[in-house]
Every structure is written in C-alpha cells, then in structure tokens.
Amino acid sequence: MRSAARLIIPVLTPRALLLWMAVRLTFAMLPLAANQPFGSPEPSPFGVVLLAGVLGLLDVRRRGERILWANLGITQPALFASYAVTAVPAELILQLLRG
Amino acid sequence: MNYALIADCVSRAFGTRKVLSSATLRAKQGEVRAVFGRNGAGKSTLMKIAVALIQPDSGVVRMGNVSFLRASLPALAKRGLFYLPDHDVLAPGLDLDTQLGFFERRYGQRSRREAARIARVEHLLDRRPGTFSGGELRRAELALAIARRPTVLVADEPYRGIARADHEDLTSLFRSLAADGCAVVVSGHEVP
C-alpha cells in the first residue's frame, strides 16, 4: 500500500496554502472592519496553524470528500495535519519577513 | 462460520429514540446479502455502525479475526472495506479519472482504466460527477470500489434514484464483485 502522505500532499497542499492566505487576510482585515486600524491584537502563529487545520477539515466536508478520503484509509487527524503542517512554513516565512 | 464483516448485537439510540436493538449484520465472502426494510427501520444506522461511521451504544464490529470496540472507517478501509453511502461518495470537484487514480495509486489493486472499463464509465473519465446521470453516477461510484478490489463492500441504498434499466447493470456489478471473492452487502426498501 502506498503511503497516504504521497497521495494527499499534491492535492491538499495548494488548498492548504490558499486557506492559510485567506486566514491571514481575514485577520489583517478585521481591525479595518471594526474601524480600529491600530487596536486589534496580532493572532499567535500557533493559533493560526491550529485554525488552518480545523478550517481544513471543514473544507474537506464542504467539498464532499470525507467518505472518499476515509475509503482511502486516510484519517481525520491526517487531514488536519496536512492543512496545519502546510501553514507552519508559511508562518515561519511571514515571521522572518516581519523581522 | 467465518464472516468477512460482522456487526454483532449492536444497539443504538439517538436521544430517547431507540433505532437499533441487538441487531446483527453478517457479510460473507463470495455472497451478495441484502438488508431490506421500510424507511426509518434503521438500515442506514446498521450500515453506518458496520463501517464504523457511527459508534454503537453496545455490541461489537468484527472484520476478519479482529474485533473493534471503537473502529473507524479509515482503519477498516485499510483492511479491505469499501463503503458506498446513501449520498454521493464521489467528490464533486474532482474528475473521475483523478478519483480512480487515488485508489489505483493507494492500493495498487486494479488500474483506473480497467476499473472504468468494467463499470462501463470509460467515457466519463475526464468529467466531474455533477454532469453524470443517476445510473452513470452509481456505476462511477462502483468503479471506485472495483479499483479498490475490496474484501467487503457495504452499499447503502444503491438503487435509489436510478432508472429501472440501470438496476440490472448494478446488480451484475455486485454479482461480479462477489464472484471475485468480495463480501457484498446492499440495503434498500424495494426489491430491484
């Protein structure tokens, strides 16, 4: 049996990156939406990674792929990890760019 | 007697409503078994417990010689089970070729082309499931199972919403899977 990672990484990584960007963009826009451009606290990178994982699981459900992945022997924690792990290097690069 | 899959004496209640009480489902290699009953009789709940999508309040699920007190569908799928739910199993956003390719690459049991040929869905490979007719959709779903070459296939209401002309095709596919050594269980509230 071929490993689950080799199967899901090519499919889920691009989606996970888009999802991470959407999360970051949402956090960036929140203070503006609340009319407080300087007043909102910055979310922790760890929180963003966890949120990316949870939203990833919801994304899989929204796309109607839950049973498909389950029939492929891929667990929910593995799907969560695929989304969350992709957000880790993205967060690291963002922190580096911010200095 | 050895069964490929057993949901043994399972019970399940949702709130105060008892849906199943000491129900048993047994799937045997090389046989097609049918679970019939009216709507609300608990067929889908029994199927979902058997494939570990729902945990029973009591009872046990066995696959081969292994008993699971808290099984999961991915764990059973790795051991050879394929579940065809009463809603669509194909992802609407991916074409059929991609989805068959997942099973070909993951399990290496049968090529996507061969599975599509057996299920007579070769002409649908580059299309997404949303464009299929009812009968095509069901054959495409079965193509996934054929690519998987499962030891147990559990199909919940597979005859729903398809033309009478497609019933015979579907039954032939179930029979050919059973002839290949698969234990097939189908449910329905009408005899096709």
Side-chain angles (χ1 to χ4, degrees), chain B residues 100-134:
Chain B
L100 283 172
F102 289 156
F103 285 86
E104 180 186 353
R105 291 203 302 279
R106 175 77 160 143
Y107 297 114
Q109 295 282 338
R110 200 176 252 143
S111 77
R112 68 185 89 182
R113 289 268 161 207
E114 193 188 349
R117 184 186 55 76
I118 293 168
R120 296 195 299 110
V121 290
E122 288 161 299
H123 61 294
L124 303 173
L125 280 173
D126 59 349
R127 283 167 52 187
R128 291 182 180 193
T131 64
F132 300 171
S133 72

Side-chain angles (χ1 to χ4, degrees), chain B residues 84 120 135 137-140 142 157-160 162 165-176:
Chain B
L84 212 55
R120 296 195 299 110
L137 187 62
R138 217 46 40 76
R139 290 206 309 276
L142 265 179
E157 306 225 11
Y159 295 97
R160 75 196 179 277
I162 59 169
D166 293 317
H167 285 195
E168 200 52 48
D169 280 352
L170 220 54
T171 304
S172 299
L173 286 171
F174 287 132
R175 285 190 179 137
S176 69

Side-chain angles (χ1 to χ4, degrees), chain A residues 1-7 11 15 63-76, chain B residues 53 73-74 77-78 81-83 85 87 89-92 94 99 102-103 105-107 144 148:
Chain A
M1 191 188 300
R2 197 168 167 179
S3 85
R6 290 178 70 178
L7 197 70
V11 181
R15 289 183 195 174
R63 290 172 184 269
E65 295 176 355
R66 193 171 68 102
I67 302 293
L68 180 75
W69 293 120
N71 272 321
L72 286 160
I74 293 163
T75 60
Q76 297 273 300
Chain B
L53 266 185
L73 176 54
K78 277 195 253 186
L81 182 136
F82 189 94
Y83 174 54
H87 51 85
V89 69
L90 289 161
L94 301 168
Q99 298 186 59
F102 289 156
F103 285 86
R105 291 203 302 279
R106 175 77 160 143
Y107 297 114
L144 296 186
R148 169 65 180 104

